[in-house]
Amino acid sequence: MSESEQFASDNYSGICPQAWKAMAEANGSDEPAYGEDSWTQRAADGLRALFDTDCDVYFVFNGTAANSLALASIGQSFHSVICHELAHIETDECGGPEYASNGAKLLLGQGPDGKLTPDSIEHLVTKRSDIHYPKPKALSLTQATEVGTVYTPDELRAIRETANHYKLNVHMDGARFANAVAALEVHPSEITWKVGVDVLCFSGTKNGLALGEAVVFFNHELAEDFEWRCKQAGQLASKMRYISAPWCGLLEGDVWLENARHANACAEQLAKGLEGLPGIGLRYPRQVNGVFVEMPDPVQAALRDKGWKFYNFIGGSARLMCSWSTTPEQVDRFLADVRSLVSG
Protein backbone atom coordinates (compact mmCIF):
# COMPACT_ATOMS: atom_id res chain seq x y z
CA MET A 1 0.00 0.00 0.00
CA SER A 2 1.52 3.32 -1.06
CA GLU A 3 1.85 6.40 1.13
CA SER A 4 -0.34 8.29 -1.35
CA GLU A 5 -3.34 6.14 -0.47
CA GLN A 6 -3.79 7.32 3.08
CA PHE A 7 -6.20 9.56 4.97
CA ALA A 8 -3.68 11.07 7.37
CA SER A 9 -3.59 14.58 5.92
CA ASP A 10 -4.21 16.66 2.82
CA ASN A 11 -0.58 17.70 3.33
CA TYR A 12 0.40 14.21 2.13
CA SER A 13 -0.83 14.96 -1.39
CA GLY A 14 1.46 15.92 -4.23
CA ILE A 15 1.39 18.91 -6.55
CA CYS A 16 -1.59 19.04 -8.89
CA PRO A 17 -0.74 18.96 -12.63
CA GLN A 18 -1.82 22.53 -13.31
CA ALA A 19 0.42 23.92 -10.57
CA TRP A 20 3.33 21.77 -11.71
CA LYS A 21 2.88 22.98 -15.30
CA ALA A 22 2.87 26.63 -14.22
CA MET A 23 6.04 26.12 -12.18
CA ALA A 24 7.72 24.51 -15.18
CA GLU A 25 6.74 27.49 -17.33
CA ALA A 26 8.12 29.89 -14.72
CA ASN A 27 11.38 27.94 -14.86
CA GLY A 28 11.75 28.63 -18.58
CA SER A 29 13.51 31.96 -18.20
CA ASP A 30 15.20 34.23 -15.70
CA GLU A 31 12.98 36.66 -13.77
CA PRO A 32 13.61 39.45 -11.25
CA ALA A 33 13.98 38.32 -7.63
CA TYR A 34 12.12 39.02 -4.38
CA GLY A 35 8.62 39.19 -5.83
CA GLU A 36 9.37 41.67 -8.61
CA ASP A 37 8.74 38.99 -11.24
CA SER A 38 5.80 38.80 -13.65
CA TRP A 39 4.41 35.60 -12.10
CA THR A 40 3.98 37.16 -8.67
CA GLN A 41 2.20 40.15 -10.19
CA ARG A 42 -0.03 37.84 -12.19
CA ALA A 43 -0.90 35.70 -9.16
CA ALA A 44 -1.66 38.74 -7.00
CA ASP A 45 -3.87 40.22 -9.73
CA GLY A 46 -5.57 36.83 -10.07
CA LEU A 47 -6.47 36.85 -6.39
CA ARG A 48 -7.79 40.41 -6.66
CA ALA A 49 -9.99 39.26 -9.54
CA LEU A 50 -11.08 36.19 -7.59
CA PHE A 51 -12.24 38.24 -4.61
CA ASP A 52 -13.57 41.00 -6.86
CA THR A 53 -11.91 43.75 -4.85
CA ASP A 54 -8.67 45.65 -4.49
CA CYS A 55 -6.55 43.91 -1.85
CA ASP A 56 -2.92 43.67 -0.83
CA VAL A 57 -1.45 40.22 -1.52
CA TYR A 58 1.74 38.65 -0.15
CA PHE A 59 3.11 35.13 -0.51
CA VAL A 60 4.84 33.22 2.28
CA PHE A 61 6.13 29.68 2.63
CA ASN A 62 3.67 28.14 5.10
CA GLY A 63 0.53 28.55 7.17
CA THR A 64 2.15 29.16 10.55
CA ALA A 65 4.10 32.08 9.11
CA ALA A 66 1.02 33.42 7.33
CA ASN A 67 -1.12 33.35 10.47
CA SER A 68 1.60 34.59 12.81
CA LEU A 69 2.68 37.52 10.67
CA ALA A 70 -0.88 38.52 9.76
CA LEU A 71 -1.90 38.57 13.43
CA ALA A 72 1.25 40.48 14.37
CA SER A 73 0.24 43.16 11.88
CA ILE A 74 -3.03 43.75 13.74
CA GLY A 75 -1.83 44.57 17.23
CA GLN A 76 1.04 45.10 19.61
CA SER A 77 2.66 42.97 22.29
CA PHE A 78 0.20 44.04 25.01
CA HIS A 79 -2.82 43.11 22.91
CA SER A 80 -4.65 39.80 22.74
CA VAL A 81 -6.26 37.69 20.02
CA ILE A 82 -9.51 35.82 20.60
CA CYS A 83 -9.71 32.38 19.00
CA HIS A 84 -11.52 29.09 19.51
CA GLU A 85 -9.93 26.70 21.98
CA LEU A 86 -9.41 24.22 19.12
CA ALA A 87 -7.89 26.78 16.75
CA HIS A 88 -4.73 25.78 14.94
CA ILE A 89 -2.99 28.97 16.11
CA GLU A 90 -3.55 27.73 19.67
CA THR A 91 -2.92 24.00 19.35
CA ASP A 92 -0.44 23.50 16.51
CA GLU A 93 1.71 26.54 15.81
CA CYS A 94 4.22 26.26 18.66
CA GLY A 95 3.48 29.76 19.97
CA GLY A 96 4.16 31.29 16.54
CA PRO A 97 1.56 34.08 16.79
CA GLU A 98 2.81 35.07 20.25
CA TYR A 99 6.41 34.98 19.05
CA ALA A 100 5.78 37.07 15.94
CA SER A 101 3.86 39.70 17.91
CA ASN A 102 6.46 39.84 20.70
CA GLY A 103 4.03 38.47 23.24
CA ALA A 104 0.39 39.12 22.29
CA LYS A 105 -1.72 36.59 24.18
CA LEU A 106 -4.29 34.20 22.74
CA LEU A 107 -7.61 34.22 24.61
CA LEU A 108 -9.50 30.96 24.15
CA GLY A 109 -13.21 31.00 23.40
CA GLN A 110 -15.68 28.19 23.05
CA GLY A 111 -18.49 27.21 20.76
CA PRO A 112 -20.08 24.06 19.33
CA ASP A 113 -18.50 22.26 16.38
CA GLY A 114 -15.27 24.24 16.61
CA LYS A 115 -16.87 27.63 15.93
CA LEU A 116 -16.65 30.81 17.94
CA THR A 117 -19.92 32.51 18.82
CA PRO A 118 -20.70 36.20 19.40
CA ASP A 119 -21.48 35.42 23.05
CA SER A 120 -18.15 33.70 23.57
CA ILE A 121 -16.30 36.62 22.00
CA GLU A 122 -18.21 39.14 24.10
CA HIS A 123 -17.49 37.18 27.27
CA LEU A 124 -13.74 37.33 26.67
CA VAL A 125 -13.77 41.02 25.76
CA THR A 126 -15.85 42.08 28.75
CA LYS A 127 -14.36 39.65 31.25
CA ARG A 128 -11.89 42.31 32.37
CA SER A 129 -10.94 45.80 31.30
CA ASP A 130 -8.21 46.69 33.77
CA ILE A 131 -4.64 47.54 32.89
CA HIS A 132 -3.40 44.09 34.01
CA TYR A 133 -5.37 42.23 31.30
CA PRO A 134 -4.09 41.95 27.71
CA LYS A 135 -6.37 44.22 25.70
CA PRO A 136 -8.40 42.33 23.05
CA LYS A 137 -7.54 43.66 19.62
CA ALA A 138 -8.38 40.90 17.15
CA LEU A 139 -10.28 37.70 16.71
CA SER A 140 -9.23 34.77 14.59
CA LEU A 141 -11.68 32.49 12.78
CA THR A 142 -10.74 29.26 11.05
CA GLN A 143 -12.64 28.59 7.81
CA ALA A 144 -13.19 25.67 7.57
CA THR A 145 -12.67 24.84 11.25
CA GLU A 146 -10.26 22.31 12.71
CA VAL A 147 -13.15 19.85 13.04
CA GLY A 148 -14.35 20.19 9.47
CA THR A 149 -17.28 22.56 9.94
CA VAL A 150 -17.92 25.89 8.23
CA TYR A 151 -19.07 29.35 9.25
CA THR A 152 -22.05 30.48 7.19
CA PRO A 153 -22.25 34.04 5.85
CA ASP A 154 -24.93 34.83 8.45
CA GLU A 155 -22.72 33.53 11.27
CA LEU A 156 -19.83 35.63 10.01
CA ARG A 157 -21.99 38.74 9.82
CA ALA A 158 -23.12 38.23 13.41
CA ILE A 159 -19.50 37.87 14.54
CA ARG A 160 -18.50 40.99 12.61
CA GLU A 161 -21.25 42.93 14.37
CA THR A 162 -19.78 41.92 17.72
CA ALA A 163 -16.28 42.73 16.46
CA ASN A 164 -17.42 46.19 15.37
CA HIS A 165 -18.98 46.85 18.76
CA TYR A 166 -15.69 46.10 20.51
CA LYS A 167 -13.38 47.47 17.80
CA LEU A 168 -11.79 44.14 16.92
CA ASN A 169 -10.13 43.28 13.63
CA VAL A 170 -10.98 39.92 12.06
CA HIS A 171 -8.33 37.47 10.87
CA MET A 172 -9.32 34.34 8.98
CA ASP A 173 -7.16 31.23 8.96
CA GLY A 174 -8.03 29.80 5.57
CA ALA A 175 -6.01 26.59 5.66
CA ARG A 176 -9.05 24.94 4.04
CA PHE A 177 -10.75 28.09 2.78
CA ALA A 178 -11.18 26.56 -0.68
CA ASN A 179 -13.07 23.62 0.82
CA ALA A 180 -15.34 26.02 2.72
CA VAL A 181 -16.16 27.96 -0.45
CA ALA A 182 -16.94 24.70 -2.24
CA ALA A 183 -19.14 23.45 0.60
CA LEU A 184 -21.08 26.69 1.01
CA GLU A 185 -21.40 27.25 -2.75
CA VAL A 186 -20.76 30.97 -2.35
CA HIS A 187 -18.52 33.51 -4.03
CA PRO A 188 -15.26 33.91 -2.04
CA SER A 189 -16.15 37.53 -1.32
CA GLU A 190 -19.33 36.44 0.49
CA ILE A 191 -17.34 34.91 3.35
CA THR A 192 -14.46 37.37 3.45
CA TRP A 193 -14.48 41.12 2.88
CA LYS A 194 -18.25 41.41 2.41
CA VAL A 195 -18.75 40.09 5.95
CA GLY A 196 -15.93 42.13 7.44
CA VAL A 197 -12.85 39.91 7.30
CA ASP A 198 -9.79 42.16 7.43
CA VAL A 199 -7.11 39.65 6.45
CA LEU A 200 -7.27 36.11 5.07
CA CYS A 201 -4.50 33.52 5.07
CA PHE A 202 -5.42 31.49 1.98
CA SER A 203 -3.72 28.10 1.79
CA GLY A 204 -2.39 26.61 -1.41
CA THR A 205 -0.41 23.82 0.24
CA LYS A 206 -3.48 21.79 1.18
CA ASN A 207 -5.08 22.33 -2.21
CA GLY A 208 -2.52 21.17 -4.74
CA LEU A 209 0.65 23.20 -4.20
CA ALA A 210 4.02 22.09 -2.87
CA LEU A 211 4.13 25.12 -0.59
CA GLY A 212 2.93 28.68 -0.47
CA GLU A 213 0.18 30.59 1.28
CA ALA A 214 -1.33 33.89 0.17
CA VAL A 215 -1.83 36.55 2.84
CA VAL A 216 -4.67 38.71 1.52
CA PHE A 217 -5.33 42.04 3.23
CA PHE A 218 -8.76 43.50 2.54
CA ASN A 219 -8.00 46.17 5.14
CA HIS A 220 -5.16 48.10 3.51
CA GLU A 221 -4.12 49.85 6.71
CA LEU A 222 -3.14 46.55 8.32
CA ALA A 223 -0.83 45.75 5.41
CA GLU A 224 1.45 48.69 6.13
CA ASP A 225 5.08 47.50 6.21
CA PHE A 226 4.00 43.85 5.92
CA GLU A 227 6.76 43.15 3.41
CA TRP A 228 9.30 44.12 6.06
CA ARG A 229 7.68 41.68 8.50
CA CYS A 230 8.06 38.97 5.87
CA LYS A 231 11.71 39.82 5.26
CA GLN A 232 12.58 39.92 8.95
CA ALA A 233 10.84 36.58 9.53
CA GLY A 234 12.69 34.84 6.70
CA GLN A 235 9.55 34.65 4.58
CA LEU A 236 10.67 36.75 1.61
CA ALA A 237 11.55 34.19 -1.04
CA SER A 238 14.34 35.33 -3.34
CA LYS A 239 12.93 33.25 -6.20
CA MET A 240 9.36 34.18 -5.40
CA ARG A 241 8.05 32.99 -8.76
CA TYR A 242 8.36 29.38 -7.62
CA ILE A 243 5.74 30.13 -4.96
CA SER A 244 3.52 32.44 -7.01
CA ALA A 245 3.55 30.66 -10.38
CA PRO A 246 1.81 27.53 -9.04
CA TRP A 247 -0.88 29.86 -7.68
CA CYS A 248 -1.45 30.97 -11.26
CA GLY A 249 -2.01 27.32 -12.12
CA LEU A 250 -4.57 27.02 -9.35
CA LEU A 251 -6.41 30.20 -10.21
CA GLU A 252 -6.70 29.69 -13.94
CA GLY A 253 -9.96 27.91 -14.74
CA ASP A 254 -10.87 27.70 -11.03
CA VAL A 255 -8.65 24.67 -10.49
CA TRP A 256 -8.49 25.64 -6.79
CA LEU A 257 -12.26 25.23 -6.54
CA GLU A 258 -12.42 21.98 -8.50
CA ASN A 259 -9.69 20.51 -6.31
CA ALA A 260 -11.66 21.45 -3.20
CA ARG A 261 -14.93 20.10 -4.59
CA HIS A 262 -13.25 16.80 -5.38
CA ALA A 263 -11.77 16.49 -1.88
CA ASN A 264 -15.13 17.33 -0.31
CA ALA A 265 -16.91 14.78 -2.50
CA CYS A 266 -14.50 12.03 -1.48
CA ALA A 267 -15.07 12.89 2.19
CA GLU A 268 -18.82 12.78 1.62
CA GLN A 269 -18.47 9.33 0.03
CA LEU A 270 -16.41 8.23 3.01
CA ALA A 271 -18.86 9.57 5.58
CA LYS A 272 -21.87 7.98 3.87
CA GLY A 273 -20.05 4.66 3.66
CA LEU A 274 -19.37 4.69 7.40
CA GLU A 275 -22.94 5.55 8.39
CA GLY A 276 -24.75 2.79 10.19
CA LEU A 277 -21.75 0.50 10.66
CA PRO A 278 -21.63 -1.18 14.10
CA GLY A 279 -19.62 0.82 16.62
CA ILE A 280 -18.94 3.61 14.13
CA GLY A 281 -20.22 7.19 14.42
CA LEU A 282 -19.33 10.68 13.28
CA ARG A 283 -18.11 13.02 16.01
CA TYR A 284 -18.79 16.19 13.97
CA PRO A 285 -20.94 16.95 10.94
CA ARG A 286 -19.10 16.24 7.70
CA GLN A 287 -19.07 19.52 5.77
CA VAL A 288 -15.72 19.72 3.98
CA ASN A 289 -12.88 17.29 3.28
CA GLY A 290 -12.43 15.82 6.76
CA VAL A 291 -14.35 13.04 8.49
CA PHE A 292 -14.04 12.71 12.26
CA VAL A 293 -14.99 9.20 13.30
CA GLU A 294 -15.67 7.52 16.62
CA MET A 295 -14.19 4.08 16.08
CA PRO A 296 -13.27 1.31 18.54
CA ASP A 297 -9.56 1.20 19.36
CA PRO A 298 -9.16 -2.41 18.15
CA VAL A 299 -10.63 -1.44 14.77
CA GLN A 300 -8.26 1.52 14.50
CA ALA A 301 -5.32 -0.70 15.39
CA ALA A 302 -6.34 -3.33 12.85
CA LEU A 303 -6.66 -0.70 10.10
CA ARG A 304 -3.18 0.53 10.87
CA ASP A 305 -1.93 -3.05 10.77
CA LYS A 306 -3.35 -3.23 7.26
CA GLY A 307 -1.22 -0.22 6.34
CA TRP A 308 -3.72 2.63 6.61
CA LYS A 309 -2.43 5.88 8.07
CA PHE A 310 -4.61 8.41 9.88
CA TYR A 311 -4.32 10.61 12.91
CA ASN A 312 -6.26 10.58 16.13
CA PHE A 313 -7.84 13.86 17.01
CA ILE A 314 -9.94 15.30 19.81
CA GLY A 315 -11.01 12.68 22.31
CA GLY A 316 -9.38 9.88 20.37
CA SER A 317 -11.58 10.11 17.30
CA ALA A 318 -10.00 9.16 13.99
CA ARG A 319 -9.49 12.06 11.58
CA LEU A 320 -9.76 10.97 7.95
CA MET A 321 -8.67 13.65 5.48
CA CYS A 322 -9.26 13.69 1.73
CA SER A 323 -7.43 15.80 -0.83
CA TRP A 324 -7.43 16.70 -4.52
CA SER A 325 -5.59 13.43 -5.22
CA THR A 326 -7.84 11.10 -3.22
CA THR A 327 -9.69 8.66 -5.45
CA PRO A 328 -13.16 7.08 -5.04
CA GLU A 329 -11.47 3.69 -5.39
CA GLN A 330 -9.22 4.49 -2.44
CA VAL A 331 -12.28 5.37 -0.38
CA ASP A 332 -13.94 2.11 -1.38
CA ARG A 333 -10.90 0.07 -0.33
CA PHE A 334 -10.82 1.74 3.08
CA LEU A 335 -14.55 1.22 3.58
CA ALA A 336 -14.25 -2.43 2.62
CA ASP A 337 -11.56 -2.94 5.27
CA VAL A 338 -13.66 -1.16 7.91
CA ARG A 339 -16.73 -3.26 7.08
CA SER A 340 -14.77 -6.51 7.25
CA LEU A 341 -13.39 -5.56 10.67
CA VAL A 342 -16.63 -4.43 12.31
CA SER A 343 -18.63 -7.33 10.89
CA GLY A 344 -16.05 -9.86 12.03
PDB file of all heavy atoms in Angstrom, residues 66-80:
ATOM      1  N   ALA A  66       2.109  32.565   7.811  1.00  0.00           N
ATOM      2  CA  ALA A  66       1.019  33.423   7.335  1.00  0.00           C
ATOM      3  C   ALA A  66       0.170  33.914   8.501  1.00  0.00           C
ATOM      4  O   ALA A  66      -0.074  35.122   8.659  1.00  0.00           O
ATOM      5  CB  ALA A  66       0.161  32.658   6.324  1.00  0.00           C
ATOM      6  N   ASN A  67      -0.281  32.982   9.334  1.00  0.00           N
ATOM      7  CA  ASN A  67      -1.121  33.353  10.474  1.00  0.00           C
ATOM      8  C   ASN A  67      -0.375  34.248  11.457  1.00  0.00           C
ATOM      9  O   ASN A  67      -0.902  35.270  11.921  1.00  0.00           O
ATOM     10  CB  ASN A  67      -1.605  32.100  11.206  1.00  0.00           C
ATOM     11  CG  ASN A  67      -2.669  31.341  10.447  1.00  0.00           C
ATOM     12  OD1 ASN A  67      -3.437  31.915   9.677  1.00  0.00           O
ATOM     13  ND2 ASN A  67      -2.716  30.037  10.645  1.00  0.00           N
ATOM     14  N   SER A  68       0.830  33.865  11.787  1.00  0.00           N
ATOM     15  CA  SER A  68       1.598  34.589  12.806  1.00  0.00           C
ATOM     16  C   SER A  68       1.897  36.020  12.374  1.00  0.00           C
ATOM     17  O   SER A  68       1.717  36.971  13.149  1.00  0.00           O
ATOM     18  CB  SER A  68       2.894  33.849  13.121  1.00  0.00           C
ATOM     19  OG  SER A  68       2.635  32.550  13.618  1.00  0.00           O
ATOM     20  N   LEU A  69       2.327  36.194  11.139  1.00  0.00           N
ATOM     21  CA  LEU A  69       2.683  37.524  10.668  1.00  0.00           C
ATOM     22  C   LEU A  69       1.439  38.382  10.436  1.00  0.00           C
ATOM     23  O   LEU A  69       1.450  39.590  10.687  1.00  0.00           O
ATOM     24  CB  LEU A  69       3.515  37.428   9.392  1.00  0.00           C
ATOM     25  CG  LEU A  69       4.888  36.768   9.563  1.00  0.00           C
ATOM     26  CD1 LEU A  69       5.582  36.623   8.209  1.00  0.00           C
ATOM     27  CD2 LEU A  69       5.763  37.555  10.523  1.00  0.00           C
ATOM     28  N   ALA A  70       0.364  37.760   9.958  1.00  0.00           N
ATOM     29  CA  ALA A  70      -0.879  38.517   9.762  1.00  0.00           C
ATOM     30  C   ALA A  70      -1.422  39.016  11.098  1.00  0.00           C
ATOM     31  O   ALA A  70      -1.841  40.178  11.213  1.00  0.00           O
ATOM     32  CB  ALA A  70      -1.920  37.644   9.062  1.00  0.00           C
ATOM     33  N   LEU A  71      -1.413  38.156  12.110  1.00  0.00           N
ATOM     34  CA  LEU A  71      -1.903  38.571  13.430  1.00  0.00           C
ATOM     35  C   LEU A  71      -0.987  39.618  14.054  1.00  0.00           C
ATOM     36  O   LEU A  71      -1.454  40.544  14.719  1.00  0.00           O
ATOM     37  CB  LEU A  71      -2.042  37.359  14.344  1.00  0.00           C
ATOM     38  CG  LEU A  71      -3.220  36.436  14.015  1.00  0.00           C
ATOM     39  CD1 LEU A  71      -3.111  35.119  14.775  1.00  0.00           C
ATOM     40  CD2 LEU A  71      -4.550  37.123  14.334  1.00  0.00           C
ATOM     41  N   ALA A  72       0.312  39.497  13.830  1.00  0.00           N
ATOM     42  CA  ALA A  72       1.253  40.479  14.368  1.00  0.00           C
ATOM     43  C   ALA A  72       1.022  41.856  13.762  1.00  0.00           C
ATOM     44  O   ALA A  72       1.303  42.880  14.399  1.00  0.00           O
ATOM     45  CB  ALA A  72       2.687  40.024  14.118  1.00  0.00           C
ATOM     46  N   SER A  73       0.482  41.881  12.538  1.00  0.00           N
ATOM     47  CA  SER A  73       0.237  43.162  11.881  1.00  0.00           C
ATOM     48  C   SER A  73      -0.981  43.881  12.449  1.00  0.00           C
ATOM     49  O   SER A  73      -1.174  45.072  12.202  1.00  0.00           O
ATOM     50  CB  SER A  73       0.044  42.951  10.375  1.00  0.00           C
ATOM     51  OG  SER A  73      -1.206  42.349  10.103  1.00  0.00           O
ATOM     52  N   ILE A  74      -1.795  43.168  13.209  1.00  0.00           N
ATOM     53  CA  ILE A  74      -3.028  43.750  13.738  1.00  0.00           C
ATOM     54  C   ILE A  74      -2.802  44.504  15.038  1.00  0.00           C
ATOM     55  O   ILE A  74      -3.402  45.556  15.277  1.00  0.00           O
ATOM     56  CB  ILE A  74      -4.104  42.651  13.922  1.00  0.00           C
ATOM     57  CG1 ILE A  74      -4.558  42.122  12.557  1.00  0.00           C
ATOM     58  CG2 ILE A  74      -5.293  43.175  14.711  1.00  0.00           C
ATOM     59  CD1 ILE A  74      -5.554  40.981  12.627  1.00  0.00           C
ATOM     60  N   GLY A  75      -1.960  43.960  15.911  1.00  0.00           N
ATOM     61  CA  GLY A  75      -1.829  44.569  17.226  1.00  0.00           C
ATOM     62  C   GLY A  75      -0.401  44.642  17.719  1.00  0.00           C
ATOM     63  O   GLY A  75       0.554  44.385  16.973  1.00  0.00           O
ATOM     64  N   GLN A  76      -0.269  44.992  18.970  1.00  0.00           N
ATOM     65  CA  GLN A  76       1.041  45.104  19.611  1.00  0.00           C
ATOM     66  C   GLN A  76       1.179  44.038  20.700  1.00  0.00           C
ATOM     67  O   GLN A  76       0.259  43.262  20.960  1.00  0.00           O
ATOM     68  CB  GLN A  76       1.214  46.506  20.188  1.00  0.00           C
ATOM     69  CG  GLN A  76       1.130  47.598  19.128  1.00  0.00           C
ATOM     70  CD  GLN A  76       1.478  48.963  19.664  1.00  0.00           C
ATOM     71  OE1 GLN A  76       2.551  49.155  20.254  1.00  0.00           O
ATOM     72  NE2 GLN A  76       0.587  49.926  19.475  1.00  0.00           N
ATOM     73  N   SER A  77       2.330  44.039  21.350  1.00  0.00           N
ATOM     74  CA  SER A  77       2.658  42.967  22.288  1.00  0.00           C
ATOM     75  C   SER A  77       1.726  42.916  23.491  1.00  0.00           C
ATOM     76  O   SER A  77       1.564  41.851  24.101  1.00  0.00           O
ATOM     77  CB  SER A  77       4.109  43.111  22.757  1.00  0.00           C
ATOM     78  OG  SER A  77       4.305  44.370  23.376  1.00  0.00           O
ATOM     79  N   PHE A  78       1.100  44.026  23.846  1.00  0.00           N
ATOM     80  CA  PHE A  78       0.203  44.039  25.010  1.00  0.00           C
ATOM     81  C   PHE A  78      -1.246  43.736  24.632  1.00  0.00           C
ATOM     82  O   PHE A  78      -2.125  43.761  25.481  1.00  0.00           O
ATOM     83  CB  PHE A  78       0.289  45.393  25.731  1.00  0.00           C
ATOM     84  CG  PHE A  78       0.035  46.587  24.843  1.00  0.00           C
ATOM     85  CD1 PHE A  78      -1.253  46.992  24.555  1.00  0.00           C
ATOM     86  CD2 PHE A  78       1.096  47.281  24.300  1.00  0.00           C
ATOM     87  CE1 PHE A  78      -1.487  48.086  23.738  1.00  0.00           C
ATOM     88  CE2 PHE A  78       0.877  48.376  23.477  1.00  0.00           C
ATOM     89  CZ  PHE A  78      -0.423  48.789  23.201  1.00  0.00           C
ATOM     90  N   HIS A  79      -1.475  43.451  23.363  1.00  0.00           N
ATOM     91  CA  HIS A  79      -2.822  43.106  22.912  1.00  0.00           C
ATOM     92  C   HIS A  79      -3.065  41.603  23.022  1.00  0.00           C
ATOM     93  O   HIS A  79      -2.151  40.824  23.310  1.00  0.00           O
ATOM     94  CB  HIS A  79      -3.024  43.558  21.467  1.00  0.00           C
ATOM     95  CG  HIS A  79      -3.204  45.028  21.322  1.00  0.00           C
ATOM     96  ND1 HIS A  79      -2.544  45.779  20.379  1.00  0.00           N
ATOM     97  CD2 HIS A  79      -3.978  45.904  22.022  1.00  0.00           C
ATOM     98  CE1 HIS A  79      -2.904  47.047  20.477  1.00  0.00           C
ATOM     99  NE2 HIS A  79      -3.762  47.151  21.474  1.00  0.00           N
ATOM    100  N   SER A  80      -4.302  41.211  22.752  1.00  0.00           N
ATOM    101  CA  SER A  80      -4.649  39.796  22.735  1.00  0.00           C
ATOM    102  C   SER A  80      -5.504  39.485  21.514  1.00  0.00           C
ATOM    103  O   SER A  80      -6.120  40.370  20.917  1.00  0.00           O
ATOM    104  CB  SER A  80      -5.383  39.395  24.017  1.00  0.00           C
ATOM    105  OG  SER A  80      -6.542  40.183  24.206  1.00  0.00           O
TER     106      SER A  80
END
